[in-house]
Amino acid sequence: MGNENQKLRPSSTPSSRWDASMSQSQFMERDTVLVLDLNDNVIGSASKKESHVFSHDTPRGILHRAFSVFLFEDDGGVGGPRLLLQKRASTKITFPNVWTNTCCSHPLHGMEIDEVDGPEDVVSGMVRGVKSAAIRKLGHELGIKSNELKVENFKFLTRLHYWAADTVTHGKRSPWGEHEIDYVLFVTVPSRTCVTLEPHPEEVDDVKWVTKSELLDMFHNEGLLFSPWFRIIADRWLVGAGGDNGEGAGWWDDLRRTMTTDDFCDYGAIHRFDPPAEHMGGGGNAGPIFDGSVDKEGGAEEKKSEDADGRKGACGVGASTAHSLKKQGAYGKVQTHKESKLSQLMHVDEIWSAMTLLYLRPLRSNLDSPFIQNLFDADDLAFCDGILCKVSRSFASVIRQLPDEMLVDVLIFYLVLRALDTVEDDMTYFPTAEAKIATLLSFHKTALVDPAWSMMGCGMGDERRLLEEFPRCHSIYASLPESSRRVISDITCRMATGMAEFVNKDLGQGTEDLAQYNRYCHFVAGLVGEGLSCLFVSSGLEKPSLVGEVLYLSDHMGLFLQKTNIIRDYLEDYADGRAFWPRSVWKKYSATGDLGYFANPVDNVVKVAGLKCLNELITDALELVPDCLAYLSQLRCAEVFRFCAIPQVMAIATLDKCYHNADVFTGVVKIRKGMSCQLIKDTTDMYGVHGIFNRFARSIIRKAEKACSRGDYDDPSYDRTIRACHTIIELTQAEASTVGNCLTGELIVASCAAAATATCLAVKVPHVASTKGSLAASTTVVVLASFGMLSLFKNGFTKKYDEGVGRSVPLLPAVKLKEDKRFQTENT
C-alpha cells in the first residue's frame, strides 16, 4: 500500500475507560484504531484522525479495522423484518448527512473490555472484541443500553476491504476518507420496544425502521445520500436477486436462516472493493487498487472468491458492486438541485396539470388491447412492462400510450438497447477491454438470436435483472413482425459498433472535439431516432418519406436529447470518470487545462469561466431545434407525435433551466415535477409544442441579456445564442401567438368562473370565511376550479381552431388515421 501504514504506534494493551462525552474533534485525536496489513493482521495503532487523512503521504489513509452493525426488528409485521437505519449527523467530520446501517465505527486499542481480535477469533466466528466495540458504540450513538444486547446475540457474517474518499462533502481533493476492513454484524430483537433509542445529537441526525421495499425506495430517491460501505453491503449481500429454492437470496430475504445457520457466513475471504469513480481522488489523488489481479501498489493478488451466498464474482471480488453504486443513486452521486415545495406551490397552474395528468386525464395505456394480448405471451409481456417501469419510469408512460400496432415493438426496442447500454456501462465486469468489445459486437447475434441467451452478474439492480432474465424479452422479440425485428437488430448492431469504438478511448477529460462529441451522441441517441422512425413507418401509421429524405431529422432529434443530458450531467459524468463535454470547447475556458476546473467553483473567476463554457454548449444544442421541429411537423399520428414531442419539450425546458446556471457545476439540475406535468399535458399538437419552445427561447434570451448587462461579464457565445433563440421564435411565433390569444380569452373566462364559484361558495356556506384554514381551502378549490375551466376552454378552442383553419396535415389518433383517405393515398 505504499506509505499508507507509515504512521504507526506499537500495539499496546493498557486498559482504560473510554470517555463518551468527548467532542468530535477529541474523538479524532484520542481514539486509537487498529492498524492492519492486507490480511487483517493487527500491526499497530494510529489515531482516528491519522488513519482517515487522505494526503500525498497516505493517499488512502491508513488501513484499519471497522465494523458495521445491522439491527433488525424480527417481528416487523407487514413487509417483513425491519432494519434500523441512522442518518449520520451533519456535524460528523467524515461522511456527514448520509443514511447508513444501524451503527458503523471501529474497535479500539487499550479498552477496558478488550476489543482486539486475532486470526483465531475470526476463524471461529466469535470476534468478541468487535462485538464488544459494537455494543459500546450502539450505546454511544443511539442510546441502546448495554444490557439490552448481548455479545452472543450478534452474528458475524463476513469482512469487506474497501476505501473511499469523502469527495462529495469535501471536494475532489478531499483530505478525508475511509480505508477499512469492515466486519459485518447482524443482530435481531423481537420488537423495537426491546431496545432504548436516544440518539446522540452530535452523532445521529435521524433514525428510521424500514422494510426491505422501503429501503429500495429510498435508494431510488436521488435526494438522499448513502454511505459507500452501506451500499456495497446492501447491493452485494443484504438484498438478493431472488430465485428458486433461495438461490441468489440476500441475507435479509431469509433473516431466520441468516441468524440460525452458517449458510451465509464467510470467515476465510476478505472481499475487496474499489469505490465508484466519484469516490476516487482525495488529497493523494488515489486510483483503483483492486483490478481482479494484483494490488497496483505492491499488495497481494486478489482472488476471484465466492460471495457469501456461493455465487462467483464476475471479474475480481466485488467488481460489479463498486460500479453499481454510481448507477443506482449511491452516496457519492452528486446532489440533485430541486426547487422547494413552497416554490412548487406558487405555481398553481402546474398543480392543476399534475392533478389532471394523474387523475382526470392520464395517458392511456394500450397494453391491454385484444390485439396485443392475443399476440404475445402474457407472463413475458408483463415482465417486460414491469422491468421497463423500473429501468425507465419516464419512458414507460409515453410508450404505453402508443398505438397497439407499434407499442410492443418500441417497448422491446427500448429494452434491447437498455440491455446493450448496461453491458457498455459496466466498467468492471470484463477482464479486458477486448472482452467487452467482443461482447458488444456480437450482441445482436447472441441476445437477439439465441432464445436462451442471458448474462449473469453484469450491471446492477434492475439492469442486471434485465440481462439475467433476457430470455423473457427474447420471447416477445421473437413474436414481433419480421420487419420490426430487422430494424431492432440493425440498430442494435450499429449502436454496438459505435460503443465499441469508444471503449478504449480515455473519456476522463471528455471527448476530443465537437466532431467526436456529435459522433458519440449519434451512436447512443441518433440511431435510436432512426430506429424509431423505421418502426413508425413499418407500422403503417407514418409516411415512408420519414425514413427517406428526412431521415437525418430523426438523428438530430436524438442528438438534441443526448446533448441536453450531457450538459445537465456534467458533474455526475466527471465524477464517474467518463465525461463527454468536448475538449475543443471547455479548454478555452479552463485555466488549469482540466475539465474538473469548473466543478464546485470556489471563486467568481472559476464560476464565470464555467458559465461561459456552459452557455456555449447549450447554444450548440439549441441550433438543433429547427430540425427537431421540422421532424415533428412531419408526423401524422397523434400518439406517435406525443411520444416524440414530450421528450423534446422536456429538453428545451431543461436547457432553459441550465442556461447561465452555476448549479450545473455543483449538482444535477432538474425542472419542477409540476412543470413536467404541465408540459406533458400541453404537448398534444404543434400549437402546444411551438408555444412551449417559443416560451423557453424567450426565457433564454432574457437570461442572456441580463447576464451581459453587467459590466464585468462578456459572453463569447452571446450573439450566437441570441441568433439561435430568434430562429426558434420565428419558426414558432405564428402558432404560439394563436395559443397565446386563446389563453388570454381563457384567462378572462377562468377569472369570471373563479368569481362566480367564490360567490356561490360564500352564499351556500357563509361560515366558510370564518376561519383562516377554511378560507385557504376554499381559495384553493376556487383557483383549481378556475384552472379546470381554463383547461376545458383551451381544449375546445384548439379543436375548433384546427377545424376552422382546415389544417392541411392534421394530427389524428391511430384509429382515425387508418380511415383517412389522404393518408392512405400518401402511403401508397
Side-chain angles (χ1 to χ4, degrees):
M1 291 292 174
N3 298 321
E4 292 178 21
N5 284 346
Q6 67 176 8
K7 294 184 178 181
L8 307 181
R9 289 192 287 270
S11 177
S12 56
T13 56
S15 296
S16 62
R17 183 178 294 277
W18 184 70
D19 184 2
S21 67
M22 292 189 295
S23 67
Q24 290 287 321
S25 297
Q26 289 173 322
F27 283 130
M28 293 294 281
E29 295 286 351
R30 299 180 188 178
D31 278 355
T32 53
V33 299
L34 313 181
V35 175
L36 309 171
D37 64 15
L38 282 173
N39 296 315
D40 192 29
N41 296 307
V42 178
I43 58 175
S45 66
S47 74
K48 186 177 177 183
K49 178 180 179 180
E50 289 171 335
S51 63
H52 288 80
V53 169
F54 277 38
S55 66
H56 176 73
D57 291 335
T58 56
R60 297 180 193 84
I62 299 173
L63 179 61
H64 57 279
R65 187 171 291 171
F67 62 82
S68 290
V69 176
F70 291 73
L71 172 60
F72 292 90
E73 180 186 29
D74 203 5
D75 183 17
V78 178
R82 293 178 181 269
L83 170 64
L84 178 61
L85 304 181
Q86 69 153 279
K87 183 180 182 183
R88 287 167 65 91
S90 60
T91 54
K92 297 284 283 187
I93 295 173
T94 59
F95 298 95
N97 300 309
V98 305
W99 284 96
T100 191
N101 48 282
T102 312
C103 181
C104 326
S105 192
H106 315 87
L108 303 176
H109 264 301
M111 299 306 296
E112 187 174 28
I113 299 176
D114 190 12
E115 296 180 358
V116 182
D117 292 304
E120 67 283 356
D121 300 304
V122 175
V123 171
S124 69
M126 291 300 294
V127 292
R128 296 185 67 89
V130 167
K131 293 176 182 178
S132 297
I135 291 174
R136 170 175 58 83
K137 285 300 290 184
L138 284 166
H140 174 225
E141 294 185 0
L142 296 169
I144 297 176
K145 308 299 183 186
S146 59
N147 62 353
E148 293 174 340
L149 294 174
K150 304 294 185 183
V151 166
E152 52 269 20
N153 296 146
F154 288 82
K155 182 79 170 184
F156 167 45
L157 291 166
T158 194
R159 295 170 291 175
L160 63 144
H161 177 181
Y162 79 96
W163 69 277
D166 190 4
T167 51
V168 171
T169 306
H170 301 286
K172 188 66 176 175
R173 299 298 183 186
S174 170
W176 302 105
E178 289 284 5
H179 190 184
E180 304 174 332
I181 292 182
D182 192 15
Y183 285 54
V184 182
L185 304 175
F186 269 33
V187 62
T188 63
V189 291
S191 169
R192 68 187 67 180
T193 59
C194 298
V195 292
T196 303
L197 282 184
E198 296 176 353
H200 194 304
E202 290 187 9
E203 297 286 337
V204 179
D205 273 353
D206 197 6
V207 294
K208 187 174 185 179
W209 293 91
V210 296
T211 63
K212 183 175 71 172
S213 63
E214 288 170 342
L215 177 61
L216 295 177
D217 287 341
M218 290 177 68
F219 282 157
H220 286 296
N221 185 340
E222 295 181 351
L224 301 179
L225 301 178
F226 293 88
S227 70
W229 60 88
F230 179 42
R231 280 306 300 258
I232 290 172
I233 296 169
D235 288 340
R236 191 68 172 179
W237 296 299
L238 185 64
V239 180
D244 297 333
N245 303 317
E247 294 181 6
W251 296 339
W252 195 347
D253 298 308
D254 195 344
L255 187 60
R256 189 169 300 279
R257 176 182 169 199
T258 301
M259 297 301 297
T260 59
T261 74
D262 290 338
D263 292 350
F264 296 124
C265 296
D266 184 0
Y267 304 147
I270 301 174
H271 303 277
R272 316 212 187 235
F273 303 85
D274 275 316
E278 61 267 23
H279 274 305
M280 295 185 188
N285 195 27
I289 53 174
F290 305 128
D291 63 350
S293 55
V294 179
D295 181 336
K296 294 181 181 178
E297 293 191 290
E301 181 176 351
E302 297 303 323
K303 299 179 180 179
K304 294 184 180 180
S305 67
E306 295 182 352
D307 292 346
D309 62 357
R311 291 173 293 176
K312 290 288 184 182
C315 175
V317 180
S320 59
T321 301
H323 182 61
S324 76
L325 302 187
K326 70 181 179 185
K327 293 173 68 64
Q328 297 188 35
Y331 176 67
K333 274 216 173 207
V334 300
Q335 63 178 318
T336 299
H337 293 294
K338 297 180 180 179
E339 294 192 34
S340 66
K341 292 181 179 178
L342 178 60
S343 173
Q344 180 63 81
L345 291 173
M346 296 296 289
H347 295 82
V348 184
D349 54 338
E350 294 177 3
I351 296 175
W352 169 255
S353 296
M355 292 177 62
T356 301
L357 194 62
L358 291 173
Y359 304 110
L360 303 179
R361 207 166 58 247
L363 292 179
R364 177 177 177 270
S365 174
N366 291 319
L367 266 177
D368 294 331
S369 73
F371 173 82
I372 290 176
Q373 293 299 315
N374 292 332
L375 190 59
F376 303 101
D377 180 88
D379 289 341
D380 289 339
L381 184 61
F383 167 80
C384 292
D385 180 49
I387 202 72
L388 173 69
C389 296
K390 292 178 179 178
V391 300
S392 181
R393 298 175 185 175
S394 58
F395 272 103
S397 58
V398 289
I399 288 177
R400 286 189 185 126
Q401 60 87 47
L402 284 169
D404 51 16
E405 293 94 333
M406 70 173 74
L407 191 163
V408 179
D409 311 58
V410 173
L411 188 157
I412 293 300
F413 181 45
Y414 184 85
L415 288 181
V416 169
L417 297 185
R418 190 59 182 243
L420 179 69
D421 184 61
T422 301
V423 173
E424 192 249 355
D425 266 353
D426 197 319
M427 307 303 290
T428 58
Y429 177 84
F430 297 94
T432 63
E434 289 69 27
K436 173 183 276 192
I437 290 172
T439 301
L440 289 170
L441 294 179
S442 65
F443 192 87
H444 70 291
K445 295 182 290 187
T446 53
L448 299 184
V449 174
D450 181 0
W453 182 92
S454 64
M455 196 169 182
M456 309 302 291
C458 183
M460 281 303 298
D462 295 315
E463 284 82 4
R464 172 185 281 196
R465 186 180 171 211
L466 172 61
L467 285 172
E468 292 180 345
E469 300 190 47
F470 197 81
R472 305 183 74 175
C473 293
H474 188 280
S475 163
I476 305 300
Y477 169 80
S479 299
L480 295 175
E482 193 276 336
S483 58
S484 295
R485 285 185 277 118
R486 186 169 58 247
V487 170
I488 295 172
S489 179
D490 174 61
I491 297 298
T492 302
C493 175
R494 292 165 62 193
M495 183 179 288
T497 301
M499 289 177 169
E501 179 182 314
F502 281 82
V503 166
N504 281 317
K505 294 186 185 300
D506 181 3
L507 294 175
Q509 293 292 312
T511 50
E512 290 180 10
D513 50 28
L514 282 168
Q516 191 181 76
Y517 176 51
N518 289 334
R519 185 168 176 80
Y520 176 80
C521 292
H522 164 73
F523 283 131
V524 300
L527 286 175
V528 179
E530 290 188 20
L532 288 171
S533 292
C534 293
L535 291 176
F536 299 157
V537 172
S538 178
S539 71
L541 292 175
E542 294 295 346
K543 294 190 302 181
S545 60
L546 202 63
V547 295
E549 62 271 18
V550 297
L551 183 60
Y552 74 95
L553 295 177
S554 58
D555 180 74
H556 288 185
M557 289 262 290
L559 263 64
F560 181 61
L561 299 181
Q562 186 66 19
K563 287 186 175 184
T564 298
N565 290 337
I566 287 173
I567 290 167
R568 180 197 64 190
D569 296 340
Y570 156 79
L571 190 59
E572 192 171 37
D573 288 341
Y574 176 71
D576 282 344
R578 199 161 184 263
F580 305 98
W581 282 24
R583 291 195 287 275
S584 61
V585 174
W586 64 256
K587 277 199 170 182
K588 293 186 292 186
Y589 306 102
S590 173
T592 62
D594 186 277
L595 179 57
Y597 174 72
F598 313 114
N600 299 303
V602 295
D603 60 49
N604 195 56
V605 173
V606 177
K607 178 181 176 180
V608 168
L611 291 173
K612 291 178 180 179
C613 181
L614 172 66
N615 294 347
E616 180 171 341
L617 289 175
I618 289 176
T619 300
D620 171 71
L622 289 172
E623 290 170 343
L624 291 166
V625 168
D627 284 346
C628 297
L629 295 175
Y631 180 89
L632 293 175
S633 70
Q634 299 287 321
L635 300 176
R636 304 296 182 264
C637 178
E639 294 94 336
V640 171
F641 177 85
R642 284 179 67 95
F643 172 80
C644 294
I646 287 172
Q648 298 291 313
V649 298
M650 296 292 185
I652 188 66
T654 300
L655 289 179
D656 172 60
K657 182 76 172 178
C658 291
Y659 186 82
H660 206 74
N661 186 351
D663 284 347
V664 171
F665 302 108
T666 60
V668 176
V669 173
K670 290 194 174 183
I671 61 176
R672 293 185 301 274
K673 290 183 178 179
M675 177 183 285
S676 298
C677 292
Q678 186 178 55
L679 294 174
I680 292 172
K681 186 176 75 71
D682 290 346
T683 306
T684 56
D685 51 31
M686 283 303 289
Y687 297 105
V689 169
H690 279 199
I692 292 167
F693 272 86
N694 191 283
R695 163 190 166 191
F696 287 117
R698 291 180 182 278
S699 175
I700 292 173
I701 287 177
R702 288 194 298 270
K703 291 178 180 178
E705 290 176 341
K706 181 178 179 180
C708 287
S709 66
R710 301 168 187 163
D712 60 344
Y713 180 79
D714 179 26
D715 192 336
S717 303
Y718 174 81
D719 291 337
R720 186 178 161 198
T721 304
I722 298 300
R723 283 197 304 272
C725 289
H726 275 306
T727 300
I728 297 171
I729 292 170
E730 290 170 5
L731 289 171
T732 59
Q733 186 60 33
E735 289 181 324
S737 297
T738 298
V739 174
N741 293 335
C742 167
L743 287 175
T744 301
E746 289 174 39
L747 286 171
I748 295 173
V749 174
S751 299
C752 295
T757 306
T759 302
C760 292
L761 282 171
V763 171
K764 189 173 182 64
V765 281
H767 64 281
V768 162
S770 62
T771 65
K772 291 182 180 179
S774 299
L775 181 59
S778 301
T779 303
T780 302
V781 171
V782 169
V783 173
L784 290 177
S786 302
F787 277 100
M789 294 287 289
L790 185 149
S791 181
L792 180 64
F793 274 88
K794 179 183 176 183
N795 291 335
F797 180 90
T798 302
K799 182 177 180 181
K800 190 69 177 176
Y801 185 85
D802 282 344
E803 295 171 354
V805 299
R807 188 179 178 198
S808 58
V809 276
L811 283 171
L812 295 174
V815 174
K816 297 290 185 183
L817 192 61
K818 287 180 287 187
E819 300 171 356
D820 187 81
K821 293 182 179 179
R822 284 179 299 177
F823 179 76
Q824 292 173 1
T825 302
E826 290 170 345
N827 257 12
T828 303

